[in-house]
Amino acid sequence: ATFEDPLPTAYSQIDIKDDYAYINDYNYGVWIFDLSDPAQPKKISGVATAEEGDGLWLNGRTAFFWQTFGGNVYSIDITDPDNLKHLGNYWDGVWLSCPGGYRGNYVIGGKGDFVYISRLERGMLVIDARDPANMKEVGIFLDLEGNPVIG
């Protein structure tokens, strides 16, 4: 089956939970597709962010969406896939200030209630998401000598 979206899209990551596909769309935010008919997934809802998103990580009833240029991690309540709710966001305070003007964030992941993100030439961060409405940076990755990992 093929899904043709009438809107300009740039799907880049899919995470599946139960009968739903959570899809990162660089130009929009997060889309949800119902997979109950595997041959014809159907778009059922979405939540817009400030666009330019590169990463998505699901943790229980919360999705975390990483925005490239704005330096935001958005937390989204996915309890009801038909009615997504924006819970909060963490902003790292940087807007396009990397050398060459391109910030380039590539990865988001997590363990428990902590979110891990990598940022081109700005290190790898640990974000405390125990309260998804009030996330905060709590640490950075260190190399073998104890220096911040910059990649």
Side-chain angles (χ1 to χ4, degrees):
T2 301
F3 176 82
E4 291 188 30
D5 201 317
L7 301 173
T9 60
Y11 297 148
S12 64
Q13 184 176 349
I14 298 174
D15 208 340
I16 296 175
K17 180 179 178 185
D18 301 323
D19 281 335
Y20 300 98
Y22 299 80
I23 300 178
N24 171 45
D25 181 347
Y26 182 88
N27 293 319
Y28 174 77
V30 179
W31 291 112
I32 309 301
F33 284 76
D34 183 337
L35 302 177
S36 56
D37 179 355
Q40 293 192 344
K42 181 180 178 187
K43 185 187 283 186
I44 59 170
S45 68
V47 63
T49 64
E51 302 181 0
E52 300 167 340
D54 276 331
L56 177 66
W57 175 63
L58 300 182
N59 183 31
R61 298 183 310 205
T62 308
F64 295 93
F65 177 79
W66 176 246
Q67 179 198 19
T68 303
F69 292 110
N72 273 306
V73 174
Y74 292 91
S75 55
I76 301 163
D77 182 346
I78 59 172
T79 305
D80 177 3
D82 291 313
N83 187 25
L84 303 178
K85 295 179 182 158
H86 178 253
L87 296 171
N89 67 297
Y90 161 78
W91 181 51
D92 66 9
V94 178
W95 185 267
L96 289 174
S97 64
C98 289
Y102 178 69
R103 91 181 260 122
N105 303 293
Y106 300 108
V107 179
I108 184 170
K111 181 176 189 236
D113 292 318
F114 293 87
V115 177
Y116 303 91
I117 56 175
S118 69
R119 304 175 304 167
L120 180 65
E121 300 181 21
R122 297 229 348 121
M124 297 173 61
L125 301 180
V126 181
I127 308 301
D128 182 343
R130 287 178 283 194
D131 177 1
N134 297 296
M135 296 179 285
K136 61 184 178 208
E137 180 180 331
V138 294
I140 57 172
F141 282 61
L142 303 176
D143 66 16
L144 293 172
E145 287 80 38
N147 299 311
V149 173
I150 305 295

